[in-house]
Amino acid sequence: MSGKGWIGKLKAGLGKSTSRMTQGLTNLFTKRKLDEDALEELEELLITSDMGLPVAAKLVKELKRQRFGQDVSPEDVKAVLAEEIAVIVATVAKPLELKPQRKPQVVLVVGVNGAGKTTTIGKMAQFYKEQGLSVTLVAGDTFRAAAVEQLKVWGERAHCPVVSGPANGDAAGLAFDALTKAQRDGTDLLFIDTAGRLHNKSDLMAELQKVIRVIKKVDADAPHDVLLVLDATVGQNAHAQVATFLEMVQISGLVLTKLDGTARGGVLVALAEKFALPVHAIGIGEGAGDLRPFDARDYARSLVGLE
Amino acid sequence: MFQSLSDRLTKVFGKLTGRGALTETDVTEALREVRVALLEADVALPVVKDFIAKVKDRAVGQDVLRSITPGQMVVKIVHDELVAVLGGAEGVAAGLDLQAVPPVPVLMVGLQGSGKTTTSAKLAVRLKADRKKVLLASLDVYRPAAQQQLEILAGQAQVGSLPIVAGEMPVAIAKRAMDVGRREGYDVVILDTAGRLHIDQELMAEVAAVRDAVNPHETLLVADAMTGQDAVVLAREFNEKVGVTGIVLTRVDGDSRGGAALSMRQVTGRPIKYLGLGEKLDALEVFHPDRLAGRILGMGDVVSLVEKAMSTFEQDEAEKLAKRIQKGKFDLEDMLTQLKQVEKMGDLKGIVAMLPGLGKMGDQLKNANIDNKAMGRQKAIILSMTIKERRNPDLIKASRKRRIAAGSGTDVQDVNKLLKQFQQMADVMKKASKLGVKGFARHGLGGLMPPGMGGGRFGR
């Protein structure tokens, strides 16, 4: 699972994205004393990774404590930074915990529009199916046009049954039926897709709460996991998304998508600090195999451009 | 979306306005907070730096130091600069340029999940309203069911949809779309492309090939208002590799601070043409830089509100109402009409966000839970009254209240609450009638809204 392929791909992905930041760091610290000006520029470079001001300031402070006034090389700076980042994110690097005693383990997948929920479920289905588990998908996005069809394609690819209802149908009722059937069939994993919703729309959030209420009528412990899918290109609004989804539907973990290249995904560091929610996986491509477990050290080192 | 940035700047300049004179140190301090606010709003760092430098140049001059209310002066400078970055001084709403030989090709590009397909359909609805014959074609052969998605949306929008041919590649689809467009007399052909990362050379080359094949008159970059620092890079890349003629900012109805708008505008020099404000197909609005800058500063988007109200309110109804108000008459029938009209204008929260003076109430608003359902209940209560009761609310005493509550599925308390709101509204109307029609217009919809309508506390 954590073979050469995935590290290489993450590096290639993050490498592309971090090259600018890395370049910046290199320019900044070649033959240079670490003074206040240098520290300020460093803070700004961290900000451009969407890390946010507080975390950037904290990292810079740590760097100052360790190296202020010394002649520093880019390698030194990167090493200190990577260490600090790894410490922060190491606590949240936890794969989705499988609960084999649950038949099924119910995983509800939520997020704002366009975050990549359906694609993430498709990839997860494939992954767990390959591990020999029985997986069923529930096309709970009854709102967006062709969302059901999209999930069905993923279901075919992964050879998983997809439970779906009519367009604009009741997602909660669909989840209820799917869970009842999955219990009967002894399915291992039940992934429930949901329509994308902006977290500030209280009516849509209430709809999501209803899905959970209804699921609980079948299994009081379900959903066993509520995954928030976050787009890595999103900036500081990620904080509001996590806070609101946490409050409204008690999300239990995160999946960060679209880390393949563009965004630096620095916001994840800030999220780890603030919410300490497990990061189960990252999405680094559009292929079925492009969902990977989140590895703190690799992420941190890739983020600052270290091999 | 920009509410939070407004809050921040309001706080910063609240401090400034509290003082008589303004020193250079004050300006520097204030601008440091503006810088933080802009960064927190996801405005890209280079854009922030540029912006701060320009404002500082102008603020630390004599204008500010000599002016009577220095805080206001700085607000104005920040505002002007925001307008300049967002849209240039012209501030003209720039819709699509369709001055070309039909069918006019419009190319939609952007990252995965930015909202291209939905925006394509929204655009089609908008153009259809302008009596254009629109053909939608999806070139997204990668995301499962993406083509079906656009086909379904085309059906909802009641515009043409290019028949899907399995296995056909994007350039071929684009050419076929243009052929069909020519043959069947379409005015506009909207080409929805697959989402792609701007660093994906292969896919960027593909979309460039599509561009070369159809020579689009407009190429719109669709970007999420929640985009972070990378906005500046993605906008530059798409502009350099594909050539962008305009930007559509989506999910503006979210609570992101939307700094991406500033970044992308600055870096491409292309206008922001539309804002996506909801999931419904009519939730697409023309972008007004001056208004948005005003909104950023907490001034409210009054102009947009008035325009929206104008297009939705039936003119004769509005006139009738105005006449009645002028005469000092306002009964529950009028309130019902109003409720219906407000409902038509869409999400109440969207309207509240446009009202001036509410920028500071962000938190309250969040907790207020303004609920369009509450309006439905209020309508039900009024509809459960007899015409006589509506015309003369004084008739409604205890037993009538019980009947109305039973009829509307509410309880007597709700009926009382509604009657109280009606009374407050009627009082406002009386005041409005004294102000005359002009004053009425100036006070806008705020005055028309009953306090606490929909259970919210924003009316006061």
Side-chain angles (χ1 to χ4, degrees), chain A residues 44 47 50 53 113 143-146 150 198-202 233 235-237 241 258 260-262 286, chain B residues 35-36 42 45 49 112-113 143-145 149 197-199 226 228-230 251 253-256 279 349 369:
Chain A
E44 291 184 342
I47 288 167
D50 281 327
L53 276 178
N113 318 58
F143 180 80
R144 205 195 76 208
Q150 187 184 351
L198 289 173
H199 49 285
N200 61 334
K201 306 230 158 167
S202 54
T233 59
Q236 300 309 303
N237 192 248
Q241 287 180 31
K258 307 179 202 172
D260 43 341
T262 155
E286 291 184 85
Chain B
R35 174 182 174 273
V36 172
D42 291 323
L45 189 65
K49 284 186 148 180
Q112 289 96 338
R143 183 163 61 88
Q149 184 185 351
L197 290 169
H198 46 285
I199 53 157
M226 300 186 282
Q229 293 284 324
D230 202 49
R251 301 193 191 112
D253 52 330
D255 62 356
S256 67
E279 299 191 37
K349 267 175 268 189
N369 248 331

Side-chain angles (χ1 to χ4, degrees), chain A residues 13 16-17 20 40-41 43-45 47-50 53-54 112-115 119 143-151 153-154 157 168 196-204 231 233-237 240-241 244 258-264 286, chain B residues 35-37 39-42 45-46 49 111-114 118 142-146 148-150 152-153 156 195-200 203 224 226-230 232-234 236 251-257 277-280 347 349 369-370 372:
Chain A
K16 274 183 258 177
S17 62
R20 195 171 54 133
E40 196 185 316
E41 282 176 52
E43 186 181 283
E44 291 184 342
L45 279 164
I47 288 167
T48 57
S49 80
D50 281 327
L53 276 178
V112 300
N113 318 58
T119 305
F143 180 80
R144 205 195 76 208
V148 174
E149 285 74 9
Q150 187 184 351
L151 193 68
V153 171
W154 279 106
R157 286 178 188 171
N168 294 314
R197 67 201 72 226
L198 289 173
H199 49 285
N200 61 334
K201 306 230 158 167
S202 54
D203 49 341
L204 294 181
D231 183 332
T233 59
V234 167
Q236 300 309 303
N237 192 248
Q241 287 180 31
T244 315
K258 307 179 202 172
L259 251 182
D260 43 341
T262 155
R264 282 54 70 88
E286 291 184 85
Chain B
R35 174 182 174 273
V36 172
L39 282 175
E40 285 185 349
D42 291 323
L45 189 65
K49 284 186 148 180
L111 302 182
Q112 289 96 338
S114 58
T118 306
Y142 304 103
R143 183 163 61 88
Q148 284 95 316
Q149 184 185 351
L150 190 68
I152 293 169
L153 291 175
Q156 288 172 10
R196 64 200 74 227
L197 290 169
H198 46 285
I199 53 157
D200 188 329
L203 282 178
D224 191 324
M226 300 186 282
T227 309
Q229 293 284 324
D230 202 49
V232 77
V233 184
L234 85 90
R236 186 186 296 127
R251 301 193 191 112
V252 179
D253 52 330
D255 62 356
S256 67
R257 302 182 191 180
L277 281 159
E279 299 191 37
K280 288 184 191 162
D347 195 349
K349 267 175 268 189
N369 248 331
I370 302 163
N372 288 323

Side-chain angles (χ1 to χ4, degrees), chain B residues 175-316:
Chain B
K175 284 180 179 164
R176 181 162 62 90
M178 293 312 294
D179 284 344
V180 170
R182 272 184 288 270
R183 212 170 43 236
E184 299 181 11
Y186 281 97
D187 298 310
V188 183
V189 175
I190 299 176
L191 302 166
D192 178 26
T193 65
R196 64 200 74 227
L197 290 169
H198 46 285
I199 53 157
D200 188 329
Q201 302 302 339
E202 211 176 299
L203 282 178
M204 290 302 275
E206 179 203 271
V207 76
V210 170
R211 175 202 58 198
D212 295 342
V214 301
N215 194 17
H217 195 61
E218 288 265 17
T219 301
L220 299 181
L221 173 63
V222 181
D224 191 324
M226 300 186 282
T227 309
Q229 293 284 324
D230 202 49
V232 77
V233 184
L234 85 90
R236 186 186 296 127
E237 288 290 311
F238 271 101
N239 195 31
E240 282 172 7
K241 304 244 164 75
V242 191
V244 169
T245 58
I247 296 161
V248 181
L249 204 64
T250 60
R251 301 193 191 112
V252 179
D253 52 330
D255 62 356
S256 67
R257 302 182 191 180
L262 267 86
S263 307
M264 293 191 292
R265 165 76 190 127
Q266 167 101 336
V267 94
T268 60
R270 302 298 178 206
I272 297 163
K273 297 210 164 182
Y274 296 102
L275 304 179
L277 281 159
E279 299 191 37
K280 288 184 191 162
L281 289 186
D282 63 352
L284 187 76
E285 294 186 1
V286 173
F287 175 74
H288 297 273
D290 48 340
R291 297 178 197 172
L292 195 57
R295 190 154 134 194
I296 289 171
L297 291 172
M299 293 170 183
D301 195 357
V302 192
V303 197
S304 282
L305 176 70
V306 171
E307 223 169 58
K308 191 165 186 181
M310 290 280 281
S311 68
T312 320
F313 272 47
E314 273 123 63
Q315 199 55 38
D316 51 338

Side-chain angles (χ1 to χ4, degrees), chain A residues 265-295:
Chain A
V267 71
L268 198 127
V269 183
L271 293 176
E273 274 234 308
K274 194 161 164 191
F275 298 99
L277 277 166
V279 179
H280 294 317
I282 56 173
I284 52 169
E286 291 184 85
D290 289 333
L291 191 79
R292 298 297 177 178
F294 174 69
D295 183 294

Side-chain angles (χ1 to χ4, degrees), chain B residues 333-358:
Chain B
E333 285 268 277
D334 299 318
M335 184 169 173
L336 183 64
T337 310
Q338 282 223 291
L339 282 172
K340 284 180 185 162
Q341 284 168 337
V342 172
E343 214 173 38
K344 255 187 246 164
M345 282 201 293
D347 195 349
L348 204 48
K349 267 175 268 189
I351 290 170
V352 170
M354 285 192 266
L355 288 172
L358 291 177

Side-chain angles (χ1 to χ4, degrees), chain B residues 418-456:
Chain B
L418 176 107
L419 288 171
K420 197 179 163 200
Q421 282 175 358
F422 163 74
Q423 197 48 54
Q424 286 169 326
M425 252 176 120
D427 291 345
V428 172
M429 294 303 166
K430 251 180 220 148
K431 274 182 220 153
S433 72
K434 279 176 198 154
L435 285 170
V437 176
K438 272 184 189 165
F440 178 64
R442 193 175 319 127
H443 286 76
L445 215 86
L448 293 181
M449 291 226 190
M453 187 160 72

